[in-house]
Amino acid sequence: VNNTRVCKAWVNFNGTGTAAIRASFNVSGITDNAVGQYTINFTTAMPDVNYAVVGVGHQLSADHVVANVQSTADQLVGSVKVHTTNYNGGNTDPDILSLTIFR
């Protein structure tokens, strides 16, 4: 099995109010840093920082939300910081955010 093509972690969580994990794999917890800013902590660290983060959010009251990693400094072996923005580019807390991490 080529483990470089396997999802190393994923999380689905509520991004509004008190952020709470709905379901996950290899995610020990999340931290709500500010509006549209979260830290995802891994249960088992990544082998290095060269992983890919893919995410999508949904807001019941607006259009889809984009999840992104703004800089390589936001990717650590034990965690990753993600930022969520609405279609206007402003930070927003999605009702639901889903992220997958591949390495």
Side-chain angles (χ1 to χ4, degrees):
V1 175
N2 185 343
N3 286 330
T4 60
R5 297 185 183 140
V6 177
C7 181
K8 300 295 185 184
W10 62 266
V11 65
N12 176 298
F13 67 93
N14 299 329
T16 57
T18 301
I21 295 174
R22 298 161 42 100
S24 68
F25 166 72
N26 195 28
V27 172
S28 61
I30 56 172
T31 303
D32 187 348
N33 302 315
V35 174
Q37 299 179 24
Y38 306 92
T39 300
I40 311 306
N41 298 298
F42 305 128
T43 304
T44 300
M46 298 296 131
D48 55 42
V49 298
N50 300 319
Y51 52 86
V53 180
V54 179
V56 65
H58 177 72
Q59 259 181 319
L60 299 176
S61 62
D63 289 335
H64 292 297
V65 175
V66 176
N68 58 69
V69 178
Q70 291 191 330
S71 73
T72 56
D74 290 338
Q75 285 188 226
L76 305 173
V77 294
S79 65
V80 62
K81 290 183 181 178
V82 296
H83 305 265
T84 54
T85 56
N86 59 26
Y87 64 93
N88 288 325
N91 283 1
T92 190
D93 286 338
D95 293 312
I96 299 171
L97 182 61
S98 297
L99 301 168
T100 55
I101 292 88
F102 288 90
R103 171 67 179 90

